[in-house]
């Protein structure tokens, strides 16, 4: 679903209906450019380049943090550059299988970097590979050179109403 469809749905359902329809988190990205086709090897990026890329004012892109149909491991959402990930980020700085996000039994969300080439950071703080780190709505998460804001349906609704 693209941003225009989400915006129309938000207007149609209202805030309570929108939140009830989407119990999961979203990644909100601001695209400065089209990343094009993915490459086989992961490109190395510097932290300076990540900051420069994330400060742009391009088009809004919303990625739901949900399982893709037929993907294994129902307890986690895979994120990476490969087509078989649940959430695909087509950027050469993102590893083919970069990270997992999962919901804990207590309802909290966590992110786990899978020893990716360029790493993962939450609120600009790099996280250690293979270690579950808390992830809260409103925080920024960086996969390689791609930074996104993690939002719940209420926060996404507010963003869409500002469009």
């Amino acid at each position: 679903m693209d941003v225009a469809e989400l915006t129309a749905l938000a207007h149609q359902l209202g805030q309570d209906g929108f939140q009830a329809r989407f119990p999961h988190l979203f990644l909100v990205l601001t695209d400065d450019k089209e990343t094009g086709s993915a490459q086989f090897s992961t490109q190395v990026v510097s932290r300076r380049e990540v900051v420069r890329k994330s400060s742009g004012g391009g088009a809004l892109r919303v990625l739901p943090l949900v399982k893709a149909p037929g993907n294994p491991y129902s307890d986690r959402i895979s994120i990476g550059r490969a087509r078989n990930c649940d959430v695909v980020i087509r950027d050469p700085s993102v590893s083919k299988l970069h990270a997992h996000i999962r919901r804990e039994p207590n309802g909290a969300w966590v992110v786990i970097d899978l020893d990716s080439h360029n790493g993962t950071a939450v609120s600009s703080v790099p996280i250690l590979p293979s270690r579950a780190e808390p992830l809260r709505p409103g925080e920024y998460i960086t996969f390689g050179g791609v930074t996104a804001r993690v939002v719940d349906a209420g926060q996404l609704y507010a963003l869409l109403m500002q469009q």
Side-chain angles (χ1 to χ4, degrees):
M1 200 176 285
D2 68 15
V3 172
E5 291 171 312
L6 281 169
T7 302
L9 194 57
H11 283 289
Q12 176 188 352
L13 297 175
Q15 185 169 2
D16 290 339
F18 191 81
Q19 287 179 268
R21 172 104 182 243
F22 299 109
H24 54 79
L25 297 176
F26 296 86
L27 294 178
V28 177
L29 299 98
T30 304
D31 285 339
D32 292 330
K33 60 176 174 49
E34 279 296 315
T35 55
S37 62
Q39 300 174 356
F40 183 76
S41 61
T42 305
Q43 292 182 353
V44 177
V45 294
S46 67
R47 286 287 141 207
R48 184 178 310 145
E49 185 175 343
V50 171
V51 170
R52 181 186 54 76
K53 282 178 71 174
S54 66
S55 62
L60 197 66
R61 189 163 53 125
V62 178
L63 302 174
L65 286 174
V66 295
K67 291 295 299 172
N71 268 10
Y73 309 112
S74 62
D75 64 329
R76 63 194 97 161
I77 299 164
S78 60
I79 298 173
R81 194 178 71 240
R83 279 188 237 153
N84 62 342
C85 288
D86 297 308
V87 177
V88 178
I89 301 175
R90 305 289 273 176
D91 187 275
S93 69
V94 176
S95 294
K96 286 179 267 183
L97 180 57
H98 197 98
H100 284 142
I101 291 181
R102 71 172 186 237
R103 193 165 205 171
E104 299 289 82
N106 67 2
W109 293 89
V110 296
V111 60
I112 301 140
D113 181 82
L114 300 174
D115 203 18
S116 62
H117 195 74
N118 288 308
T120 302
V122 176
S123 297
S124 300
V125 178
I127 65 172
L128 296 173
S130 303
R131 182 174 170 187
E133 291 291 333
L135 186 62
R136 293 171 202 80
E139 290 185 312
Y140 286 88
I141 187 165
T142 303
F143 303 103
V146 177
T147 300
R149 185 172 175 212
V150 178
V151 298
D152 60 21
Q155 292 166 321
L156 179 59
Y157 179 87
L159 281 171
L160 295 172
M161 292 298 104
Q162 294 172 1
Q163 294 280 340

